[in-house]
PDB file of all heavy atoms in Angstrom:
ATOM      1  N   VAL A  82     126.146 143.992 157.368  1.00  0.00           N
ATOM      2  CA  VAL A  82     126.873 142.873 157.973  1.00  0.00           C
ATOM      3  C   VAL A  82     125.843 141.859 158.464  1.00  0.00           C
ATOM      4  O   VAL A  82     124.881 142.222 159.147  1.00  0.00           O
ATOM      5  CB  VAL A  82     127.739 143.389 159.149  1.00  0.00           C
ATOM      6  CG1 VAL A  82     128.358 142.235 159.915  1.00  0.00           C
ATOM      7  CG2 VAL A  82     128.835 144.322 158.640  1.00  0.00           C
ATOM      8  N   SER A 100     118.006 152.753 170.504  1.00  0.00           N
ATOM      9  CA  SER A 100     117.227 153.945 170.118  1.00  0.00           C
ATOM     10  C   SER A 100     117.969 154.802 169.091  1.00  0.00           C
ATOM     11  O   SER A 100     117.340 155.489 168.285  1.00  0.00           O
ATOM     12  CB  SER A 100     116.874 154.787 171.342  1.00  0.00           C
ATOM     13  OG  SER A 100     118.045 155.238 171.967  1.00  0.00           O
ATOM     14  N   ARG A 115     112.678 141.164 162.554  1.00  0.00           N
ATOM     15  CA  ARG A 115     113.370 140.281 161.594  1.00  0.00           C
ATOM     16  C   ARG A 115     114.806 140.020 162.070  1.00  0.00           C
ATOM     17  O   ARG A 115     115.338 138.923 161.933  1.00  0.00           O
ATOM     18  CB  ARG A 115     113.381 140.910 160.197  1.00  0.00           C
ATOM     19  CG  ARG A 115     112.000 140.974 159.554  1.00  0.00           C
ATOM     20  CD  ARG A 115     112.078 141.315 158.072  1.00  0.00           C
ATOM     21  NE  ARG A 115     112.619 142.640 157.794  1.00  0.00           N
ATOM     22  CZ  ARG A 115     111.892 143.765 157.785  1.00  0.00           C
ATOM     23  NH1 ARG A 115     110.603 143.731 158.019  1.00  0.00           N
ATOM     24  NH2 ARG A 115     112.464 144.929 157.533  1.00  0.00           N
ATOM     25  N   GLY A 132     112.587 151.407 174.871  1.00  0.00           N
ATOM     26  CA  GLY A 132     112.612 152.608 175.712  1.00  0.00           C
ATOM     27  C   GLY A 132     111.716 153.689 175.150  1.00  0.00           C
ATOM     28  O   GLY A 132     111.429 153.703 173.952  1.00  0.00           O
ATOM     29  N   ARG A 138     107.113 159.483 178.330  1.00  0.00           N
ATOM     30  CA  ARG A 138     107.163 159.274 179.787  1.00  0.00           C
ATOM     31  C   ARG A 138     106.277 160.299 180.488  1.00  0.00           C
ATOM     32  O   ARG A 138     105.449 159.950 181.317  1.00  0.00           O
ATOM     33  CB  ARG A 138     108.639 159.371 180.236  1.00  0.00           C
ATOM     34  CG  ARG A 138     108.930 159.564 181.702  1.00  0.00           C
ATOM     35  CD  ARG A 138     108.602 158.399 182.626  1.00  0.00           C
ATOM     36  NE  ARG A 138     109.151 157.095 182.332  1.00  0.00           N
ATOM     37  CZ  ARG A 138     108.962 156.018 183.116  1.00  0.00           C
ATOM     38  NH1 ARG A 138     108.264 156.107 184.243  1.00  0.00           N
ATOM     39  NH2 ARG A 138     109.443 154.846 182.779  1.00  0.00           N
ATOM     40  N   LYS A 156     107.652 139.198 168.208  1.00  0.00           N
ATOM     41  CA  LYS A 156     106.682 138.369 167.483  1.00  0.00           C
ATOM     42  C   LYS A 156     107.395 137.103 166.991  1.00  0.00           C
ATOM     43  O   LYS A 156     108.523 137.178 166.494  1.00  0.00           O
ATOM     44  CB  LYS A 156     106.141 139.187 166.286  1.00  0.00           C
ATOM     45  CG  LYS A 156     105.049 138.539 165.530  1.00  0.00           C
ATOM     46  CD  LYS A 156     104.421 139.572 164.593  1.00  0.00           C
ATOM     47  CE  LYS A 156     103.832 138.941 163.361  1.00  0.00           C
ATOM     48  NZ  LYS A 156     104.765 138.604 162.311  1.00  0.00           N
ATOM     49  N   VAL A 158     108.710 134.778 168.734  1.00  0.00           N
ATOM     50  CA  VAL A 158     109.698 134.227 169.677  1.00  0.00           C
ATOM     51  C   VAL A 158     108.953 133.281 170.613  1.00  0.00           C
ATOM     52  O   VAL A 158     107.875 133.617 171.105  1.00  0.00           O
ATOM     53  CB  VAL A 158     110.360 135.377 170.481  1.00  0.00           C
ATOM     54  CG1 VAL A 158     111.170 134.838 171.652  1.00  0.00           C
ATOM     55  CG2 VAL A 158     111.231 136.232 169.574  1.00  0.00           C
ATOM     56  N   GLN A 229     118.115 147.073 192.969  1.00  0.00           N
ATOM     57  CA  GLN A 229     116.690 146.876 192.668  1.00  0.00           C
ATOM     58  C   GLN A 229     116.434 145.423 192.233  1.00  0.00           C
ATOM     59  O   GLN A 229     117.204 144.862 191.447  1.00  0.00           O
ATOM     60  CB  GLN A 229     116.240 147.842 191.553  1.00  0.00           C
ATOM     61  CG  GLN A 229     116.596 149.300 191.808  1.00  0.00           C
ATOM     62  CD  GLN A 229     116.034 149.812 193.120  1.00  0.00           C
ATOM     63  OE1 GLN A 229     114.865 149.598 193.433  1.00  0.00           O
ATOM     64  NE2 GLN A 229     116.877 150.460 193.918  1.00  0.00           N
ATOM     65  N   VAL A 235     123.348 146.160 183.629  1.00  0.00           N
ATOM     66  CA  VAL A 235     123.274 147.484 182.998  1.00  0.00           C
ATOM     67  C   VAL A 235     123.924 147.449 181.616  1.00  0.00           C
ATOM     68  O   VAL A 235     124.765 146.586 181.338  1.00  0.00           O
ATOM     69  CB  VAL A 235     123.990 148.554 183.867  1.00  0.00           C
ATOM     70  CG1 VAL A 235     123.168 148.904 185.099  1.00  0.00           C
ATOM     71  CG2 VAL A 235     125.388 148.128 184.259  1.00  0.00           C
TER      72      VAL A 235
END
Side-chain angles (χ1 to χ4, degrees):
V82 172
S100 61
R115 291 192 296 275
R138 164 68 54 177
K156 186 168 152 280
V158 168
Q229 308 303 313
V235 286

